[in-house]
Amino acid sequence: MSQSHTGPAYEKQMVSLGRVLQTLRDAQTGDEAVRVALDHVRSEFDFEVSWIGLYDRVNHKLLTKACHAPKGLRFIRTHLNLTPGDVMEQVVIQQRPLIVADFQNEPRGGEWVAIAKNLALQSGVLFPIRRQDVCFGILLLGSQRWGISPTTGERAHLSMLMNFLGDALYQHEAEAQRQQIKRPDQPLLTLLEKLGTLEGLDSRLRAVCQETQKFIKPSRTRIFWFEPKGNYFWLRSQPNQKQFVSNVDESATPTLMIPIEDVRGFHQSLTNNQLIVVGEIQSSLKATVTERMMQLLKACSFMAAPILYQGNLLGFVAVEGDTARIWSEPEKFFLQGVARLVALALPVSETDDRIRQMEANQRLTSGVVRGIHSDLDWRKALEVCATDLSSLLSVRQFIVLIFDEDWGGYELCFQSQVAQTKGVPMAWPGLDDVDWQMLERSTVAVCVEDIGHDLKLMAWRPILHTLGVRSVMACNVAPGNAPKGVVLVCDQISRHWTPLESSLLEAVSRQLGLLLHQWQLQRQMDQQEHVYDSIQWGLRTIQRTYDLEILEKNTIQHLAQLLQLSAVALVSWQPGEEVARVSQASVQDKEFWVDEDCEVSVGSDAILNWALQTDGILPLVLEDLPDISRHWVSGPTACKFLVMALRTAPDHRPTAVLVAVGRPERRWAEHHTNLLTLMTNQLAWSRRHLSLVAMLTTQREQLEQLNWYKQHRFEELYRLLYKHAQRLTELSQNDLESQPHQQALRELESLMDSMKPTLSREDWQLHGEYQTTPLISLLTRLMERVNGLIQQQQLWTKVHNESNLVIGGDIAKIELVLCELMGAACLRSQPGGRIDIWCRQVDRYWLELSITDDGEMTPRLIEELQKGRPDDPLAPSTLDEPPGLHFAICKTLMEQMGGEFNLSRLEDNRILSRVLLPIASPTGRQSHRGTVINKPFFHKPGH
């Protein structure tokens, strides 16, 4: 081994290394490169044994490629297995040089331990032969001496040499793999030139089979054609099998047919332009999909490439193997190429047929347009369209469906007479969400080849089965919009619908959409006219009817005739009542009945409560009703109800419910519900108007009678008082010294003078009169009036007043208001309770008088007194009866006089009655109201 890195010897070594590297680049084979590298190592390095082994990645072993050993010793091992953990495997995996001090005693030496003993080797050096991260083999340099180790320069020399050897081995391996790959480009070019010289589709298909057989060399090559009418594949072409194979299958005749329903997954993959590959360890489809196909072809391996033309599956090219086989990528590429060449080789005759068919389709669509714009009979236009379309597509059924939004299903609009099919239902169920969106988004017709194996249009499958339909095309008349109209063409056999047929149906459906739209517009106009007539009838009835019973009777009968209802009932009750009755009923069918004498509980009856809780019409069926509701209205099983409360405004409480009943097969259309809603609302407002007028008329009559009676009673009382006053005056002239007698007489005369304005001016209307009185006198008279109640309830009262103001206004009415409030406070207080009267001057115009007591009062009365009566005059209120009625009158009187009256509850639960009184003006006239302080002025008891 050399020891110096400089001098002539080193330069000579570098020159030798350069020559050998150039030789490695020019080596023709990998074996030659290995021999050149090993000869250079033997000549430049002093080792007894030099060995190169190439790495077999598949079997994980080293193959001996070249070896130099001492004379008399031979290296006879052609391969060495690598064991986990041995030094050779370590070099292969880590790809780094390794020095072995003693091969014969190395515990990780593997098979080289025995070889070292045979060759008398002691130490050695292992160098990897690698390129980038790929190890191609190992260089082993062995010596019969101990402790031999290459220098740094020698390591660099060997590393450079091995790297160049690795590059050379990589280039030769890549070239070998490239030469082994089949090149399908030249056979495809040859086939393309050959197809240009042939005439007729069958001759071209035979040429394709022959070239495919030559290139791929399968057991059989065949071309199957697709028949859409019968929905099956049939054998159309195959080469002369005897010149390629000897075991020809007898069943491989042109009459071989493969039904699509047996290989549906296989057919779907071909339609998606997918290459089908089935080999020994590879398959592009599941085993369950290809198993049936392999049974029909009687093959252990095969490939199939689809023949597609304008998106339409024409057939497929199949290569089959009687044994398991792995198909290479060039073979797959070639098969796909020939399938596309077949698609381009369609004869001109078929193109002419397609052109003629397209012209016929164009004539059909233009004829539909002419029929729409010129023929007033839309049904005749549909019949002409159905006849022509059925002839072109060879179908027997043509159906047009219109979506009915009222019940969510479809209505049979038209059925072709070509099919002569009986029993087609008029009502078709609604589509599920998936099918609805599919028809809405699809720009072409939706095709179902076999309804038994396709999940499309599931909701219509029972009807299609009943009609004997096997395959169907469905098209939305307005693609991109909701499928409000659907055209169906059906066939009794399993059938593949071509894109041309789909586009034809799509074009016809678009034209029919215009016709159906006009027809629907006419129906809507008829319905709107019907609604308009109902409105006119309702208005005339309201204007001419002044009796509530007659109004209800006429409306119920009109509804029954207008909507053709089996029964109609109106259940009504008075505000605040707990029991309702059937006020009006009309039964048109003997299977229905309404008990007009039955009492219906407003709080517990299901129909009434559901209607009152629903804003609008509530649809029900008989089975929804409990037994308690069936006692007063009922019908046959599954009969349908429409229930609606008679509402007028959100704040008005309904007092009636309308119940409409129909037969089980009855479908409520939108215009039916609109009419029912309109008539019910008209009836509700009319009933409310008549009820309110009747209530107000009754109240006025009662108040007029009461006022007449009290007025005449006051006149009689005044006459009697005047008569007795005259007699007392005559008697008093004889007893002039009786002061009490004179005082009583003056008070009686004052009382009579105060009654004169009431009798003369306020017989039918209140009139105000300005008077003044000291506040102390007003309070004294007030306490005198309620003293009896105070004594009776044993109440403790106290008046808190520090001023002597003069109150101005209608004193008589003010005294009555204060007396009413004080009396009510006494009556609601508990025995032994306390009542305080607080007086406070707000400003120079107004005095605040507050009464506090510890009595009880309903919160509703306080709330209604503050907010006013309910918006519904017919609704019960706490202000309709005393004490609420009296409080409301007091509040109105005080407001008319410019003052205020408020009733509220304090934080300590006392009741506060607050009155704002006017202070007398120095001019003697009623003062204008100044600033009002709403905060009450009072103190707690005992302060």
Side-chain angles (χ1 to χ4, degrees):
M1 299 178 61
S2 62
Q3 300 297 330
S4 177
H5 294 275
T6 61
Y10 180 76
E11 294 179 358
K12 182 180 179 181
Q13 190 178 25
M14 290 298 99
V15 173
S16 176
L17 177 60
R19 286 197 300 268
V20 76
L21 294 182
Q22 183 63 39
T23 307
L24 288 176
R25 291 190 185 96
D26 298 337
Q28 298 298 321
T29 62
D31 294 341
E32 181 182 352
V34 170
R35 287 195 300 271
V36 170
L38 195 61
D39 290 342
H40 176 76
V41 171
R42 182 182 180 188
S43 63
E44 296 295 333
F45 297 92
D46 188 14
F47 287 94
E48 285 81 0
V49 176
S50 56
W51 173 87
I52 291 180
L54 299 184
Y55 178 55
D56 183 358
R57 300 181 188 87
V58 178
N59 299 314
H60 196 51
K61 62 183 179 179
L62 293 172
L63 304 178
T64 300
K65 284 298 180 181
C67 180
H68 292 290
K71 293 182 180 181
L73 298 176
R74 295 182 60 190
F75 189 88
I76 60 175
R77 303 292 293 275
T78 59
H79 65 274
L80 286 83
N81 294 320
L82 298 179
T83 59
D86 64 8
V87 294
M88 307 297 287
E89 185 186 53
Q90 183 178 348
V91 175
V92 170
I93 295 176
Q94 297 181 357
Q95 299 184 19
R96 292 185 299 178
L98 182 65
I99 299 175
V100 180
D102 186 0
F103 257 124
Q104 297 184 16
N105 297 316
E106 174 62 41
R108 297 176 301 159
E111 296 187 12
W112 268 98
V113 174
I115 299 174
K117 291 179 179 180
N118 185 32
L119 299 177
L121 297 177
Q122 293 298 329
S123 60
V125 181
L126 301 175
F127 264 89
I129 306 172
R130 67 187 184 90
R131 180 186 183 274
Q132 295 180 354
D133 295 333
V134 180
C135 182
F136 287 91
I138 293 178
L139 167 66
L140 183 142
L141 301 178
S143 177
Q144 296 177 352
R145 291 169 292 174
W146 292 86
I148 299 300
S149 176
T151 64
T152 302
E154 291 172 342
R155 290 181 182 178
H157 188 148
L158 289 173
S159 178
M160 183 178 300
L161 179 64
M162 292 302 102
N163 287 341
F164 266 84
L165 178 59
D167 289 338
L169 292 176
Y170 170 77
Q171 296 295 336
H172 293 303
E173 183 178 341
E175 180 62 23
Q177 292 179 356
R178 188 183 65 82
Q179 292 179 357
Q180 291 177 358
I181 297 176
K182 291 183 177 180
R183 301 182 61 84
D185 49 355
Q186 187 60 42
L188 285 176
L189 290 175
T190 303
L191 178 59
L192 184 58
E193 295 177 358
K194 188 175 182 180
L195 292 178
T197 61
L198 298 176
E199 295 181 359
L201 181 60
D202 291 332
S203 60
R204 294 176 180 177
L205 294 180
R206 284 193 296 270
V208 169
C209 290
Q210 293 173 1
E211 293 298 328
T212 304
Q213 188 73 28
K214 290 179 182 180
F215 182 80
I216 300 179
K217 295 183 175 57
S219 300
R220 289 175 300 278
T221 300
R222 295 189 283 190
I223 296 180
F224 289 85
W225 216 248
F226 178 61
E227 176 56 46
K229 188 63 183 293
N231 211 15
Y232 60 87
F233 291 111
W234 59 280
L235 180 61
R236 180 161 186 171
S237 180
Q238 61 180 342
N240 186 3
Q241 297 286 341
K242 294 184 178 180
Q243 58 180 334
F244 299 107
V245 293
S246 58
N247 55 341
V248 181
D249 188 4
E250 295 179 357
S251 63
T253 61
T255 58
L256 177 61
M257 293 190 304
I258 302 175
I260 295 299
E261 60 183 9
D262 293 344
V263 290
R264 190 163 297 277
F266 176 79
H267 171 262
Q268 186 65 33
S269 299
L270 292 178
T271 305
N272 295 333
N273 198 16
Q274 180 179 349
L275 177 68
I276 310 300
V277 181
V278 179
E280 182 179 8
I281 60 173
Q282 59 181 352
S283 176
S284 60
L285 294 177
K286 297 180 180 180
T288 55
V289 177
T290 58
E291 181 179 0
R292 179 56 180 165
M293 190 67 187
M294 296 179 70
Q295 290 177 356
L296 294 174
L297 297 179
K298 296 183 179 180
C300 295
S301 60
F302 76 96
M303 283 196 303
I307 303 173
L308 294 172
Y309 180 73
Q310 295 181 351
N312 186 23
L313 180 64
L314 302 179
F316 64 92
V317 182
V319 292
E320 310 162 26
D322 293 332
T323 59
R325 174 174 174 174
I326 299 178
W327 308 97
S328 64
E329 291 301 323
E331 292 172 343
K332 299 176 185 177
F333 179 79
F334 182 84
L335 191 63
Q336 288 179 312
V338 298
R340 291 171 184 173
L341 288 178
V342 172
L344 296 176
L346 289 176
V348 180
S349 58
E350 291 195 2
T351 305
D352 294 338
D353 292 340
R354 292 178 181 273
I355 293 175
R356 287 193 294 270
Q357 186 175 6
M358 292 175 64
E359 291 176 352
N361 298 345
Q362 181 66 27
R363 289 194 299 271
L364 172 61
T365 54
S366 61
V368 174
V369 175
R370 288 194 300 271
I372 293 175
H373 291 283
S374 62
D375 198 341
L376 298 178
D377 188 358
W378 63 271
R379 182 171 293 276
K380 183 178 180 181
L382 284 176
E383 290 177 356
V384 173
C385 176
T387 303
D388 296 341
L389 189 62
S390 300
S391 176
L392 285 174
L393 299 181
S394 299
V395 296
R396 300 184 60 192
Q397 289 181 337
F398 177 84
I399 298 174
V400 180
L401 302 176
I402 295 294
F403 183 72
D404 191 338
E405 296 182 358
D406 298 324
W407 71 287
Y410 285 85
E411 177 187 356
L412 180 63
C413 175
F414 178 80
Q415 173 197 359
S416 66
Q417 301 299 322
V418 178
Q420 296 181 353
T421 304
K422 298 181 180 179
V424 179
M426 294 297 297
W428 290 52
L431 296 169
D432 53 34
D433 293 338
V434 176
D435 290 335
W436 179 277
Q437 295 176 4
M438 176 183 62
L439 284 174
E440 182 178 7
R441 298 173 181 174
S442 178
T443 57
V444 296
V446 175
C447 302
V448 179
E449 299 179 1
D450 192 338
I451 62 174
H453 299 86
D454 203 318
L455 299 180
K456 299 174 185 175
L457 308 178
M458 287 291 294
W460 295 343
R461 180 176 295 185
I463 297 178
L464 296 176
H465 273 303
T466 304
L467 300 178
V469 174
R470 188 74 179 273
S471 58
V472 63
M473 265 200 307
C475 188
N476 183 6
V477 298
N481 300 303
K484 299 299 182 63
V486 179
V487 179
L488 301 178
V489 290
C490 312
D491 208 338
Q492 277 68 33
I493 62 174
S494 179
R495 172 174 177 172
H496 173 76
W497 305 98
T498 64
L500 192 61
E501 295 171 337
S502 176
S503 62
L504 172 61
L505 181 61
E506 187 268 336
V508 173
S509 299
R510 284 180 181 271
Q511 302 300 331
L512 292 180
L514 300 176
L515 180 62
L516 297 178
H517 182 65
Q518 293 179 356
W519 178 62
Q520 287 180 318
L521 289 178
Q522 185 62 42
R523 290 180 61 182
Q524 292 177 2
M525 291 178 61
D526 294 341
Q527 295 171 2
Q528 291 175 359
E529 184 178 357
H530 203 183
V531 173
Y532 177 77
D533 293 341
S534 301
I535 296 175
Q536 292 297 324
W537 180 90
L539 294 177
R540 289 194 301 268
T541 303
I542 293 173
Q543 295 171 358
R544 299 175 182 177
T545 304
Y546 301 97
D547 185 85
L548 180 61
E549 183 178 356
I550 296 176
L551 173 69
E552 292 176 348
K553 181 178 180 181
N554 293 341
T555 305
I556 294 301
Q557 292 178 353
H558 182 68
L559 271 177
Q561 298 174 0
L562 187 67
L563 301 180
Q564 297 180 354
L565 299 172
S566 300
V568 189
L570 181 66
V571 186
S572 60
W573 62 94
Q574 294 300 323
E577 290 186 355
E578 298 296 331
V579 177
R581 289 177 173 81
V582 179
S583 57
Q584 294 293 335
S586 176
V587 180
Q588 307 294 330
D589 195 330
K590 295 181 179 179
E591 297 186 27
F592 297 81
W593 63 278
V594 177
D595 188 357
E596 300 185 29
D597 299 328
C598 180
E599 294 184 350
V600 184
S601 174
V602 178
S604 60
D605 186 77
I607 295 180
L608 301 187
N609 280 269
W610 291 343
L612 295 176
Q613 296 172 10
T614 304
D615 187 11
I617 294 180
L618 175 65
L620 299 171
V621 294
L622 182 64
E623 286 67 25
D624 296 334
L625 305 182
D627 294 338
I628 189 174
S629 297
R630 300 188 193 183
H631 287 164
W632 60 274
V633 60
S634 186
T637 304
C639 64
K640 299 179 180 180
F641 289 73
L642 289 181
V643 182
M644 185 176 179
L646 272 65
R647 302 181 185 274
T648 50
D651 297 329
H652 298 170
R653 295 182 181 180
T655 57
V657 172
L658 183 71
V659 181
V661 193
R663 298 194 61 82
E665 64 274 9
R666 177 65 184 270
R667 291 190 293 112
W668 307 108
E670 183 180 3
H671 72 282
H672 292 155
T673 56
N674 291 339
L675 279 173
L676 184 62
T677 303
L678 178 63
M679 295 299 297
T680 303
N681 291 335
Q682 286 187 354
L683 178 61
W685 279 105
S686 301
R687 289 184 73 256
R688 176 177 177 80
H689 167 71
L690 295 179
S691 299
L692 191 58
V693 169
M695 182 191 72
L696 296 178
T697 302
T698 302
Q699 291 180 354
R700 178 179 178 179
E701 292 176 352
Q702 293 175 351
L703 292 176
E704 288 176 346
Q705 295 171 7
L706 178 61
N707 187 71
W708 177 87
Y709 170 72
K710 287 186 176 181
Q711 180 70 17
H712 285 71
R713 288 288 294 172
F714 280 144
E715 292 176 352
E716 178 64 18
L717 178 62
Y718 180 81
R719 187 185 65 82
L720 293 176
L721 286 175
Y722 182 79
K723 177 180 179 182
H724 292 295
Q726 291 294 329
R727 296 178 62 184
L728 286 175
T729 301
E730 295 175 356
L731 293 175
S732 64
Q733 293 177 357
N734 300 326
D735 190 5
L736 298 177
E737 298 180 356
S738 177
Q739 293 297 330
H741 183 80
Q742 293 293 330
Q743 180 67 23
L745 182 58
R746 285 194 297 271
E747 291 179 357
L748 180 60
E749 291 176 350
S750 176
L751 176 62
M752 293 174 60
D753 291 340
S754 65
M755 291 180 62
K756 286 182 179 179
T758 303
L759 294 174
S760 61
R761 297 174 55 192
E762 295 184 322
D763 50 352
W764 291 103
Q765 186 177 4
L766 294 177
H767 289 275
E769 183 176 356
Y770 187 80
Q771 299 172 339
T772 59
T773 184
L775 176 62
I776 296 176
S777 301
L778 181 65
L779 295 175
T780 302
R781 291 194 298 271
L782 173 64
M783 298 305 295
E784 182 181 352
R785 287 188 177 190
V786 297
N787 185 56
L789 290 176
I790 294 174
Q791 298 296 330
Q792 180 181 350
Q793 296 290 100
Q794 299 179 0
L795 301 175
W796 187 91
T797 61
K798 184 176 182 180
V799 178
H800 305 269
N801 180 29
E802 298 178 357
S803 62
N804 189 18
L805 300 174
V806 177
I807 305 301
D810 197 334
I811 301 301
K813 294 182 177 63
I814 291 176
E815 288 187 9
L816 291 176
V817 170
L818 296 179
C819 183
E820 178 69 31
L821 299 182
M822 191 65 183
C826 294
L827 291 175
R828 63 173 172 261
S829 298
Q830 298 294 330
R834 175 173 177 169
I835 297 178
D836 291 275
I837 300 176
W838 308 83
C839 299
R840 181 177 72 95
Q841 183 177 356
V842 178
D843 53 22
R844 63 178 181 153
Y845 297 110
W846 298 98
L847 172 73
E848 180 185 81
L849 190 150
S850 302
I851 304 172
T852 58
D853 63 87
D854 55 0
E856 296 293 334
M857 182 174 292
T858 59
R860 181 183 174 188
L861 190 151
I862 298 177
E863 180 181 0
E864 290 188 354
L865 188 63
Q866 292 176 350
K867 296 182 178 180
R869 294 179 179 271
D871 294 336
D872 186 3
L874 297 176
S877 174
T878 57
L879 305 183
D880 292 338
E881 298 178 355
L885 176 61
H886 296 169
F887 289 151
I889 294 174
C890 292
K891 182 179 178 68
T892 302
L893 288 176
M894 292 305 301
E895 290 176 352
Q896 289 176 355
M897 290 185 290
E900 283 186 5
F901 164 57
N902 295 319
L903 193 66
S904 60
R905 184 180 296 276
L906 302 176
E907 295 180 355
D908 57 0
N909 249 357
R910 288 184 297 165
I911 303 299
L912 171 66
S913 303
R914 176 178 174 271
V915 180
L916 203 63
L917 301 177
I919 300 176
S921 172
T923 60
R925 295 181 180 181
Q926 186 171 0
S927 63
H928 295 284
R929 181 171 177 178
T931 305
V932 177
I933 301 177
N934 292 324
K935 182 177 180 181
F937 178 78
F938 61 90
H939 300 281
K940 295 183 179 179
H943 288 197

